[in-house]
Amino acid sequence: MIRILDSLMVSFLILLIVPQGLQAQEKLSLSTEEVEALRERLEAQEAQLRQLRESLQRQEKLIEQQQRLLEALQRKLESGNAVNSTLATQERPGAARQVKPEEEKTLARPAPRPPQNVEAGYGKIRFNGVLQGWYTAGNGGFRDTFRLRRAQFRFSGEITPQVKWTMMIDAAKALAVNNTFTTINGTRVATETSINQVSRMLQDAYITLDYIKNVRIDVGQFKVPMGLEMQTSGTALDTVERALFTSDRTRPGSFGTARDIGVRLSGPLTAHADYQLALLNGSGEHQNDADRNDQKALSGRLILRPPVLAGLQIGASGVWGNGTRPDRPRRDRLGGEMLLARGPFKFQSELMTGKDNDFHRMGYYAHFGYKLNPKLEAIFRFDVFDPDTRRETNANNVTERDYVAGFNYFITENRVKLQANYVRRTFHNAIAPARHLLLVNLQTSW
């Protein structure tokens, strides 16, 4: 290519010079200015030809490099085809493949399976859950035991952006019954048997409609809008067990984390206030069951977050049972709550009162928490429950006061958490002996 360029340059110069010589001969004489101009033109043309030669040399080197890369790629392709041909020959029936020792471990491992997607019949589906393993120990006749406290599976889905659904079951629950007895001619006889509502596996099952701005409508079975800790998920509790007025199942009158069937409205009132309002079959008497009378219960909860103090939340809630008949006993509730969370410090308190026919009940607690570091939190709680405020005569109606101290260790936030609580149970006027309990919870949630 360089030789061709040189020939072109010579030819170009000849063509350029010969006409100039002929013109000089015709004119017989040239001025000094014309000779100087001719020389400058020749020098400029020589410079252009020199640049063209250098550019062609660079292109020639680039072509040579690309050619070498193409040859190397061709050799790799030929080598790969040869390997594939050999493997195909060895894998034919009757062909013995020689496996090298260093390949044995690799061949022994199963090939990783591709991820499998869960398909919904229609719309979107989300799966959550929690598993809690407990160890409890104590004195005063308390039997030390391991147990599965919660094994909850929660499914939620979206049919359209305005229509959603939620369902949760707790596989750790064991169905139990309540029996009512009377004495006839000196013989104790069961007069009524009913399902113990807290033992039902079906927890939540409702449809959500979001057609109205700031008004969410839930239809089905859900938690009765009442109290702060009652509305808190079991995975997010600061103590191993809920407050006494919610969790005390050994004596009658516990308010419980009640669920019932009905319709619930909820949403924001302002940027600093939320509401919940529900019309229900009852205040938690009959989960997943038909109502036994025409009366309905009304429940509501109002939450305020004053902008004057960040992290402060106060609220009130209540239930009007609307019961007056023997088959519909009076079940009213009224309570107040407060939560203050600032940095590592947390203070939470509730007061709940209730009336079940002629029984007046009251419970309250004050809870303190302090995060020593992002993974470790120390907690202390003073907890009181009186199942019958008018009597202090036996173990069923005496006021109980608990002192709870312990820690929460967040291995992976609430996803993997270890909790340990020491509980000292005391009873008014020492009607029942004090007890010491140890509660340990290891939970995972997803």
Side-chain angles (χ1 to χ4, degrees):
M1 183 175 292
I2 300 299
R3 294 190 186 94
I4 294 172
L5 178 61
D6 291 339
S7 300
L8 291 173
M9 290 175 61
V10 173
S11 301
F12 179 77
L13 289 174
I14 292 172
L15 293 174
L16 182 64
I17 295 171
V18 170
Q20 297 293 338
L22 293 175
Q23 291 177 6
Q25 291 177 359
E26 291 176 357
K27 292 183 179 181
L28 299 177
S29 64
L30 293 174
S31 66
T32 304
E33 291 80 5
E34 291 175 338
V35 172
E36 187 64 28
L38 180 61
R39 183 182 294 110
E40 291 177 357
R41 289 176 59 189
L42 288 173
E43 291 175 354
Q45 291 169 356
E46 287 178 358
Q48 292 177 357
L49 290 171
R50 190 163 49 250
Q51 292 176 359
L52 179 59
R53 180 187 297 172
E54 292 174 357
S55 177
L56 290 173
Q57 288 175 346
R58 289 193 298 268
Q59 292 180 4
E60 189 175 23
K61 290 180 180 180
L62 181 60
I63 291 172
E64 291 177 356
Q65 292 176 357
Q66 292 176 346
Q67 184 64 31
R68 287 196 295 270
L69 291 174
L70 289 173
E71 292 175 356
L73 181 59
Q74 183 65 28
R75 288 194 296 270
K76 288 184 179 180
L77 291 174
E78 292 175 355
S79 176
N81 291 335
V83 172
N84 292 335
S85 177
T86 302
L87 292 175
T89 302
Q90 291 177 347
E91 291 173 359
R92 286 200 303 266
R97 181 185 175 190
Q98 298 296 326
V99 180
K100 296 180 180 179
E102 59 269 18
E103 295 179 333
E104 291 181 353
K105 292 183 179 180
T106 302
L107 294 175
R109 298 194 193 108
R113 299 180 60 185
Q116 302 294 318
N117 296 324
V118 177
E119 295 185 2
Y122 188 83
K124 302 176 182 178
I125 290 181
R126 180 169 181 167
F127 171 54
N128 304 90
V130 59
L131 183 62
Q132 290 184 343
W134 279 23
Y135 174 72
T136 58
N139 65 344
F142 190 90
R143 295 182 180 179
D144 304 350
T145 183
F146 292 97
R147 63 173 295 202
L148 288 177
R149 174 62 178 84
R150 291 181 177 91
Q152 295 177 347
F153 302 96
R154 182 184 181 90
F155 300 87
S156 57
E158 179 181 300
I159 305 300
T160 70
Q162 294 78 32
V163 181
K164 305 177 180 68
W165 57 269
T166 301
M167 184 177 70
M168 186 179 77
I169 61 173
D170 189 351
K173 290 186 176 294
L175 191 63
V177 297
N178 294 328
N179 295 316
T180 302
F181 295 91
T182 188
T183 301
I184 300 177
N185 296 328
T187 303
R188 193 165 180 257
V189 179
T191 58
E192 183 181 359
T193 299
S194 61
I195 298 295
N196 185 339
Q197 298 304 307
V198 300
S199 70
R200 288 187 181 271
M201 290 180 59
L202 182 63
Q203 302 288 283
D204 296 327
Y206 56 87
I207 299 170
T208 300
L209 305 177
D210 279 331
Y211 287 100
I212 307 174
K213 184 179 179 180
N214 295 335
V215 179
R216 168 176 168 167
I217 304 175
D218 298 318
V219 180
Q221 178 171 294
F222 42 77
K223 283 184 179 180
V224 177
M226 182 174 62
L228 172 60
E229 202 166 74
M230 292 182 190
Q231 302 300 308
T232 302
S233 168
T235 63
L237 293 174
D238 294 316
T239 52
V240 175
E241 187 56 282
R242 299 183 191 270
L244 271 175
F245 65 77
T246 302
S247 62
D248 188 355
R249 308 294 186 187
T250 60
R251 301 188 294 172
S254 169
F255 300 148
T257 50
R259 287 177 167 86
D260 218 307
I261 301 176
V263 58
R264 175 177 62 187
L265 308 180
S266 61
L269 287 175
T270 68
H272 304 285
D274 296 330
Y275 73 94
Q276 291 178 299
L277 187 65
L279 184 65
L280 306 157
N281 281 345
S283 53
E285 302 97 309
H286 303 291
Q287 294 180 201
N288 192 26
D289 198 359
D291 202 354
R292 301 179 183 180
N293 49 61
D294 292 332
Q295 287 79 14
K296 298 293 175 282
L298 181 65
S299 176
R301 182 172 179 238
L302 178 65
I303 302 298
L304 303 176
R305 293 179 294 275
V308 295
L309 182 58
L312 176 62
Q313 172 181 306
I314 57 177
S317 59
V319 177
W320 180 50
N322 190 27
T324 55
R325 301 177 350 191
D327 64 340
R328 175 70 179 197
R330 187 87 183 202
R331 287 172 58 91
D332 296 339
R333 305 284 185 262
L334 182 63
E337 61 190 71
M338 186 184 77
L339 171 64
L340 176 62
R342 297 290 300 271
F345 175 77
K346 181 177 185 180
F347 173 73
Q348 178 176 320
S349 182
E350 284 190 80
L351 169 67
M352 185 67 65
T353 62
K355 181 180 179 181
D356 294 357
N357 283 336
D358 293 333
F359 292 93
H360 296 261
R361 317 185 192 280
M362 182 180 67
Y364 59 90
Y365 69 86
H367 174 91
F368 302 88
Y370 189 84
K371 277 199 171 183
L372 304 174
N373 58 57
K375 287 187 173 293
L376 184 62
E377 179 184 31
I379 62 102
F380 175 79
R381 172 174 291 193
F382 176 62
D383 195 357
V384 178
F385 178 51
D386 187 354
D388 187 350
T389 59
R390 296 181 298 178
R391 299 177 181 86
E392 299 283 343
T393 58
N394 55 55
N396 285 331
N397 58 36
V398 68
T399 300
E400 178 179 345
R401 294 180 177 88
D402 286 5
Y403 303 86
V404 184
F407 68 87
N408 298 321
Y409 182 64
F410 303 95
I411 302 172
T412 307
E413 299 179 342
N414 281 324
R415 302 303 180 189
V416 184
K417 179 171 67 174
L418 176 65
Q419 296 176 289
N421 291 171
Y422 162 73
V423 183
R424 175 172 170 77
R425 287 185 173 177
T426 63
F427 301 90
H428 185 66
N429 291 335
I431 290 178
R435 288 183 176 181
H436 302 272
L437 300 177
L438 174 66
L439 307 178
V440 180
N441 169 42
L442 177 62
Q443 80 169 32
T444 178
S445 61
W446 60 92

